[in-house]
Amino acid sequence: MKEEKKEGNFWLTLASFIVDKRKAIEILFVVAIIYSIASVNKVQVNQDITSYLPAESETRRGLTIMEEEFTTYGMARVMVANVTYDRAEELREQIEDVPGVKSVVFDDSEDHYRGTNALYDVTVEGEDEDTVSISAVKEIKNVLSSEDVYVSTTIGQVEESAEMLNQEMSIILVLAVVVIVAVLLIATKTYLEIPVLLITFGVAAILNMGTNYWFGEISFVTNSIAVVLQLALAIDYAIILCDRYMEEHEMLDRVDAVKVALSKAIPEISASSLTTVSGMVALMLMQFKLGYDMGIVLVKAILLSLISVFFLMPGIILIFGKGIDKSHHKCYVPEITFVGKLAAKTKYIVPPVFLVVVIAAFFLSSNCRYAFDVNSVESAKKSTSKIAAEKVEEVFGASNQLVVIVPQGSYEKEKKLLQKLESLDYVTSALGLANQEINSDYTLTDKLGPRQFSELTDMDVEIIQVLYAGYAYQQEKYGPMITGIDDYEVPLIDMFLFLYDQYQEGYVQLDKEMDESLTELYDTLHDAQLQLQGENYSRFVLSIDKPTEGQETYDAMEEIRELGEQYYGKGKVVLAGNSTSAHDLEESFATDNIIISVLTALFVMIILFFTFQSAGLPVLLVLTIQGSIWINFTIPAIQGQNVYFIAYLIVSAIQMGATIDYAIVISSRYMQLKYEMPLKDAITTTLNQAFPTIFTSGSIMTCAGFLIGNISSDATVSAMGIALGRGTLTSIILVLFVLPQILLFGDFIIEKTALAIKLKGNVRESNGRVHVSGHVRGYVQGEIDATVQGVFQGQMQVSVDTVLPGRQGQIEEITGESPNAVRSRQEQMEETTGSNTQQKEGTQE
C-alpha cells in the first residue's frame, strides 16, 4: 500500500484521509442526522397533482382563476341503500340539521331515488379542506351510522389520503427491510455485514427526508415512495464497498483493507451511479412537473447515499470489523453455470428471436390504453372513499362536472350562452347566475325597472325610485336621474345586493318580516355570487353525460369552447375539471414520453460509450433494457388493463437508469474475461460472478415494487409500484437469459466498434510449446503484457500487436512446434537481434 501511495494514487490518498479522519466525520454525520430529524416536519406535501401541470395548460389557468376569484363549497354525494322513500325524507331532515351543512338536494326523481336507494347532494359551508366541511361530513356519517351509507366526496380527502398513505408506506418500509435482511443473509458471507449496510442506508434515508424541505414542497407521490426507491436504487453502493473490503481483508489488516477497498470502490460506484442519475435527470425535463419533483428528490437521495457510503461507511465497517471477522457464513447464492452453457449453445438463436420479440413489444406497448384520470386506474387495495364512490356510480351513475369560465360584465351574453349550453344533448344541468330563477317570472340577472322591483319586493314604489336613483349615482350614471328614473333598469341581483347594503347602513327602514326575508335572500344571493361571479370572470358549472376521459368527451369540450367563443372571442373561454385535466395530461404525455425515452437512452449510451470505449456495446445494452421496458408494458396491453401515464413515464426512466447496471456488471466482466479464456468459458464465469450482485439488487427492487403496488390504496402510487416490480423482474430475466447470447453473437460488432487502435494481429489460442516474436498481450498461465521473444510452454491466448524493433512488418505466426524446431528458430532470432534468450524450465525458453 505504501508503494501505491508513492505512485500518487489520488483515490488511495482520498480514501486514506477519509479513514484517518473517520471520528471527525462521524461527528459531522451525527450533527447532520439531528438536523434532518428536526427538519422532517418542515416538509410541505402537495396533494394536488394538477398543480404540476404546465402553467400555460388550460386546466392550470382555470384552476388559478377559480382559486383567485371564486369560492367553491365542498360537496358530497351521500347514498343510503335499502331505505323507503318516507324514511329517506326523514333522513334528509336529519342531514339538514347537521352543523356546517348548507343545503341538501333530494326529491323523488330517479336522480335521487332509485329502487330502495336514496341519493342526497349535500353542500357544506366551507371548501374541501376547511375544518367546518370535514366536521360536517364526519357528523353526517355519525347521524347515518345505523344505515347502509356510502359517502362519495373530496371533502377531507387530502388529510385522509395522506394519513392512510403514511400508514401504508410505514408497513411497506418495514416489509422491505425484512426482505433486504433476508436477501442479504442469502447473498453475504458474514452476518455483521447486514447491520453495516442497514445503518448506512438508514442514515442516507434520514438525510434525504430531512432535506426535502429545501425544495419548499414535494408531491405526495414523491414523499410516499422516495424512501423505498432510494433503498432499492442505492443499496448496491454499500454492497460493492463491503465486497471490496472482504476481498482486500484477505491480504491486509482491517484499516488498510478499508483504505484500499474505498480507493477502488469510489470510482466504480461513482460510475455506476451515473446511469441512475441520468434517468432521474431525464425525469426532471418533463413538461409535467411531477417528473421534476420526483427526479430532483431522487437525485438528492442518490448523492446522499454516495456520501454516506464514501464517508460514513468506512468507519462503521471498522466499528464492526471484529464482529465481521468472527461471523462468516456460507454464501447461499448458487452458481448458474447452466445459464452460461445455454447461452453458448443458443447464441445464434436467441438474438434473432429477441429482436422479433422487441419489435412486437414496441408495437404492443404503443397500443397501451393509457389512463390520465386517477379514478380510471384500479389499485390492488381500495380505500373507503374509493369503494363508496364506485357504489354510488354503480347505482346513480358518475357525475362529471365541467366548469366554463368567461369574462365577467354582460348578463345578456351569459344568459344566451347558458341557454345554448342547456340545449346540448349531453349537458344534464347548467348552473350560472343568468339562469337562476327567483320566481316563475324572473331570473337573478333579469333587468327590472323601479315599478317591477316594487311589485316583486312589495315595497313602496317611491322608496324604490329613491333606491334606484342612489344606485345610478353610485354607478356614476347620471342620465336616468335627469330623464326619469322610471325607465332605468338594473339587474335584479345587483339591486337586491344594493338594497341590502343600504339597509345595513340604515338608509332604508324595513319591518321585521321584510328584514328576515331580505336577510335570507341576501345570504342566498351572496353565496351564488361568491360561487359564480368574480371580479373579472363569471363561472358556469355544467354536468355532462360523458366519461371523464376519451375522445367523445374531448369533442364535447371543444364544442362547448366554440359556443363560448361565439360570444366572447377566441381564447377568452377557459374550461376546467377532471376532463380538462385528463386532456391536458394526455397532450403533455406525448412530449414527455419522447423526452423520457430518447433522453434516458441517450444519456445512458453516452455514459456507456466512455465507460467501455466502444460504440457498439452501448447500443446492445440499451436495446436489451429498452426491450425490457417495452415488454413490461406489453403485459397490461395484452390483458386489456389501463396503464396510468405517470407510472409509464416514471418507471420507464427508473427502469432504464437503474437496471442498466445489471447489464453493465455482466458486460464489464465479460469484456475482461474474454481475453483470458475461450468465449464460452468467459460468459459462464461472468454469469457466475455477476449473479450475486444482480440477485441482491434485483430482488430488492422487485420486491419493493410489488410491495408498494399491492399494499398502497393510492392508485397513483400503486400503479407505479406494480410497473416497477414487473419491469425490474423483466430486466433481470433479459439480462441473464438474453444479454449473454447478444454479447456472444455480437462480439465482432463490439470489437469492430472499439475505440482502441489495434494493429495487425489476432487473438490466438494454442497449447504446448509455442514460438512468439512481438509485443504480446494476453495470458500464459497468468497475465503477460510485454515485448517477448522466446518460447512458452502451456496454454495461451494472446494478441500480437506489434513486432520487436528492427523487425517491423514481420509478425511471427503463433504455432505449436517441436522442441528441436523451437531451438533452431530461437538460435536464428538470437543471431538477428543480438539478444540472449534465457530459458526457464517448464514455462519459458
Side-chain angles (χ1 to χ4, degrees):
M1 204 179 86
K2 290 180 180 178
E3 290 179 1
E4 291 184 61
K5 269 188 173 181
K6 289 179 181 178
E7 292 174 5
N9 188 320
F10 170 77
W11 297 118
L12 186 58
T13 302
L14 176 61
S16 298
F17 175 82
I18 292 171
V19 174
D20 292 340
K21 304 297 182 182
R22 60 186 180 276
K23 297 296 183 182
I25 291 172
E26 287 165 6
I27 293 173
L28 291 176
F29 268 95
V30 169
V31 173
I33 291 168
I34 295 172
Y35 166 80
S36 298
I37 292 174
S39 301
V40 167
N41 291 330
K42 295 181 182 179
V43 179
Q44 299 296 315
V45 180
N46 186 348
Q47 301 286 338
D48 181 14
I49 203 169
T50 61
S51 64
Y52 295 98
L53 284 166
E56 65 276 8
S57 66
E58 186 174 31
T59 301
R60 188 65 260 155
R61 288 188 292 125
L63 292 174
T64 300
I65 292 171
M66 289 196 292
E67 289 168 3
E68 293 175 351
E69 300 212 1
F70 301 100
T71 297
T72 304
Y73 291 115
M75 298 187 67
R77 302 177 82 197
V78 181
M79 187 182 85
V80 178
N82 305 313
V83 66
T84 64
Y85 183 78
D86 291 339
R87 175 59 177 162
E89 281 285 2
E90 294 175 8
L91 295 176
R92 178 184 63 78
E93 295 175 359
Q94 293 179 27
I95 296 172
E96 286 177 333
D97 292 337
V98 169
V101 171
K102 179 178 286 291
S103 65
V104 179
V105 178
F106 175 75
D107 54 40
D108 60 355
S109 68
E110 285 201 352
D111 290 337
H112 293 99
Y113 191 79
R114 291 187 183 182
T116 58
N117 301 293
L119 179 64
Y120 308 93
D121 290 325
V122 181
T123 303
V124 296
E125 294 178 352
E127 297 190 352
D128 279 354
E129 297 308 315
D130 290 347
T131 303
V132 64
S133 305
I134 296 172
S135 298
V137 171
K138 289 181 179 177
E139 185 59 26
I140 289 172
K141 292 178 180 179
N142 290 334
V143 168
L144 302 176
S145 60
S146 60
E147 307 291 337
D148 187 6
V149 62
Y150 301 90
V151 180
S152 174
T153 183
T154 56
I155 297 173
Q157 287 304 297
V158 170
E159 181 182 342
E160 182 182 334
S161 298
E163 184 178 346
M164 181 177 294
L165 198 53
N166 287 335
Q167 293 175 353
E168 292 168 349
M169 294 312 298
S170 298
I171 295 171
I172 290 169
L173 188 57
V174 170
L175 293 176
V177 170
V178 172
V179 169
I180 289 173
V181 172
V183 170
L184 294 178
L185 282 172
I186 296 172
T188 59
K189 296 180 180 179
T190 66
Y191 292 113
L192 286 188
E193 277 185 70
I194 297 174
V196 171
L197 298 174
L198 293 180
I199 291 172
T200 304
F201 170 75
V203 170
I206 290 171
L207 295 180
N208 193 49
M209 289 189 292
T211 53
N212 282 336
Y213 85 95
W214 291 353
F215 304 129
E217 66 177 19
I218 62 174
S219 72
F220 74 96
V221 177
T222 302
N223 188 60
S224 300
I225 65 176
V227 174
V228 179
L229 286 182
Q230 181 184 4
L231 181 155
L233 292 171
I235 199 168
D236 275 4
Y237 309 150
I239 293 173
I240 290 172
L241 179 55
C242 254
D243 289 345
R244 283 287 187 183
Y245 168 74
M246 298 300 293
E247 291 174 9
E248 300 299 333
H249 190 35
E250 292 179 3
M251 302 294 295
L252 302 171
D253 62 43
R254 282 192 289 270
V255 174
D256 286 348
V258 170
K259 291 179 180 179
V260 175
L262 184 60
S263 70
K264 294 180 178 179
I266 289 176
E268 180 181 353
I269 294 171
S270 300
S272 175
S273 68
L274 285 178
T275 55
T276 306
V277 170
S278 68
M280 302 306 104
V281 171
L283 276 181
M284 293 168 62
L285 299 176
M286 286 171 53
Q287 285 185 323
F288 185 46
K289 295 305 178 183
L290 181 64
Y292 178 86
D293 178 82
M294 179 166 287
I296 195 169
V297 170
L298 289 178
V299 166
K300 178 166 65 69
I302 292 168
L303 293 177
L304 290 173
S305 296
L306 291 174
I307 290 171
S308 298
V309 169
F310 295 158
F311 292 93
L312 177 64
M313 189 172 171
I316 299 176
I317 290 175
L318 291 176
I319 291 172
F320 285 86
K322 291 182 179 178
I324 292 174
D325 291 343
K326 296 177 181 179
S327 61
H328 281 266
H329 67 83
K330 179 183 178 181
C331 177
Y332 295 99
V333 178
E335 290 191 346
I336 52 172
T337 304
F338 74 96
V339 178
K341 292 181 177 179
L342 179 66
K345 293 179 181 178
T346 59
K347 64 180 180 180
Y348 297 114
I349 300 173
V350 171
V353 171
F354 174 67
L355 185 61
V356 173
V357 171
V358 166
I359 294 172
F362 168 74
F363 287 106
L364 285 172
S365 63
S366 300
N367 293 324
C368 270
R369 294 189 325 201
Y370 295 108
F372 300 91
D373 176 46
V374 70
N375 295 315
S376 302
V377 183
E378 293 289 337
S379 56
K381 179 183 175 183
K382 295 180 181 178
S383 63
T384 304
S385 57
K386 178 73 171 177
I387 294 171
E390 290 180 352
K391 191 69 176 179
V392 173
E393 289 179 10
E394 181 184 332
V395 179
F396 290 96
S399 176
N400 187 6
Q401 286 194 333
L402 182 67
V403 171
V404 182
I405 302 172
V406 298
Q408 192 266 342
S410 174
Y411 290 137
E412 289 82 1
K413 287 182 180 180
E414 290 180 25
K415 187 169 186 176
K416 291 178 181 178
L417 177 56
L418 278 167
Q419 288 173 345
K420 285 198 172 184
L421 293 176
E422 286 179 311
S423 67
L424 296 173
D425 294 338
Y426 48 82
V427 175
T428 57
S429 69
L431 175 65
L433 282 181
N435 69 348
Q436 295 305 292
E437 296 180 352
I438 196 168
N439 59 25
S440 59
D441 297 322
Y442 302 115
T443 63
L444 285 176
T445 59
D446 285 343
K447 289 184 174 181
L448 276 67
R451 189 165 298 280
Q452 293 169 302
F453 192 80
S454 172
E455 292 172 355
L456 179 63
T457 59
D458 199 23
M459 295 176 64
D460 291 342
V461 68
E462 291 81 6
I463 296 175
I464 298 302
Q465 287 173 339
V466 173
L467 188 67
Y468 266 65
Y471 181 85
Y473 179 79
Q474 186 190 64
Q475 300 295 316
E476 298 181 354
K477 295 181 178 179
Y478 306 113
M481 299 174 65
I482 299 172
T483 60
I485 204 69
D486 286 338
D487 295 328
Y488 182 43
E489 294 183 333
V490 178
L492 186 56
I493 185 173
D494 294 345
M495 186 50 65
F496 263 123
L497 295 174
F498 181 72
L499 170 60
Y500 183 81
D501 289 341
Q502 299 307 303
Y503 171 65
Q504 290 294 306
E505 293 178 11
Y507 297 122
V508 177
Q509 300 296 320
L510 301 173
D511 57 32
K512 183 177 181 181
E513 183 179 351
M514 190 63 184
D515 171 69
E516 292 177 355
S517 298
L518 183 60
T519 301
E520 183 179 349
L521 181 59
Y522 171 79
D523 290 340
T524 302
L525 295 179
H526 184 62
D527 281 344
Q529 190 178 42
L530 288 174
Q531 295 180 76
L532 302 173
Q533 186 181 61
E535 183 179 350
N536 302 297
Y537 296 93
S538 291
R539 175 168 71 168
F540 309 147
V541 181
L542 311 182
S543 291
I544 61 175
D545 186 19
K546 295 289 183 183
T548 303
E549 56 183 313
Q551 193 56 48
E552 61 174 329
T553 303
Y554 303 151
D555 291 341
M557 288 163 47
E558 185 60 31
E559 184 178 10
I560 291 169
R561 186 181 294 106
E562 289 175 356
L563 286 175
E565 289 175 346
Q566 291 177 10
Y567 296 95
Y568 294 97
K570 194 168 184 63
K572 300 293 185 180
V573 179
V574 180
L575 306 184
N578 289 338
S579 292
T580 61
S581 175
H583 187 242
D584 289 337
L585 291 171
E586 184 170 347
E587 288 189 334
S588 67
F589 172 74
T591 303
D592 287 341
N593 191 18
I594 294 174
I595 290 174
I596 292 295
S597 300
V598 174
L599 291 185
T600 305
L602 182 62
F603 290 160
V604 170
M605 286 181 67
I606 291 173
I607 293 168
L608 296 181
F609 176 77
F610 287 104
T611 300
F612 290 104
Q613 296 288 297
S614 169
L617 185 57
V619 175
L620 297 178
L621 300 188
V622 170
L623 177 63
T624 303
I625 302 302
Q626 185 61 57
S628 74
I629 294 172
W630 288 331
I631 292 171
N632 181 17
F633 291 100
T634 293
I635 296 172
I638 294 173
Q639 294 174 339
Q641 297 176 347
N642 289 337
V643 174
Y644 196 35
F645 80 105
I646 293 177
Y648 180 85
L649 293 174
I650 292 178
V651 171
S652 294
I654 293 175
Q655 188 176 344
M656 174 61 78
T659 63
I660 191 73
D661 282 351
Y662 309 156
I664 293 173
V665 169
I666 287 179
S667 301
S668 59
R669 290 180 184 270
Y670 169 75
M671 293 299 292
Q672 177 184 350
L673 293 174
K674 63 183 276 190
Y675 293 109
E676 303 177 19
M677 58 189 73
L679 296 184
K680 61 181 180 180
D681 295 336
I683 202 65
T684 301
T685 305
T686 292
L687 289 171
N688 284 332
Q689 291 180 357
F691 182 61
T693 301
I694 296 172
F695 167 79
T696 305
S697 176
S699 59
I700 289 172
M701 185 176 290
T702 301
C703 291
F706 285 131
L707 283 172
I708 293 171
N710 289 286
I711 293 177
S712 177
S713 59
D714 184 273
T716 304
V717 175
S718 176
M720 289 180 56
I722 292 293
L724 180 62
R726 187 178 60 223
T728 305
L729 184 58
T730 305
S731 293
I732 293 171
I733 293 172
L734 292 189
V735 163
L736 292 177
F737 294 96
V738 175
L739 180 60
Q741 287 89 329
I742 291 176
L743 292 175
L744 292 172
F745 181 80
D747 189 72
F748 72 97
I749 298 176
I750 298 171
E751 290 296 324
K752 293 292 184 182
T753 57
L755 295 186
I757 300 175
K758 295 185 177 181
L759 302 177
K760 291 183 179 180
N762 300 310
V763 175
R764 311 289 182 84
E765 293 184 43
S766 184
N767 289 297
R769 297 174 64 81
V770 181
H771 174 262
V772 180
S773 176
H775 184 78
V776 179
R777 184 176 66 252
Y779 284 79
V780 185
Q781 299 291 348
E783 185 175 357
I784 182 171
D785 187 354
T787 300
V788 177
Q789 184 178 23
V791 178
F792 293 87
Q793 181 173 344
Q795 183 175 358
M796 71 181 340
Q797 181 183 32
V798 297
S799 175
V800 182
D801 292 337
T802 184
V803 295
L804 291 170
R807 294 177 60 86
Q808 279 78 3
Q810 299 180 29
I811 298 178
E812 301 289 342
E813 290 291 332
I814 299 179
T815 56
E817 302 182 56
S818 66
N820 292 332
V822 170
R823 291 192 184 93
S824 176
R825 293 178 61 87
Q826 184 178 353
E827 291 171 357
Q828 294 176 7
M829 290 177 64
E830 289 176 353
E831 293 175 358
T832 304
T833 61
S835 64
N836 295 318
T837 302
Q838 297 180 349
Q839 297 183 359
K840 293 186 179 179
E841 186 66 23
T843 56
Q844 178 179 335
E845 290 186 1

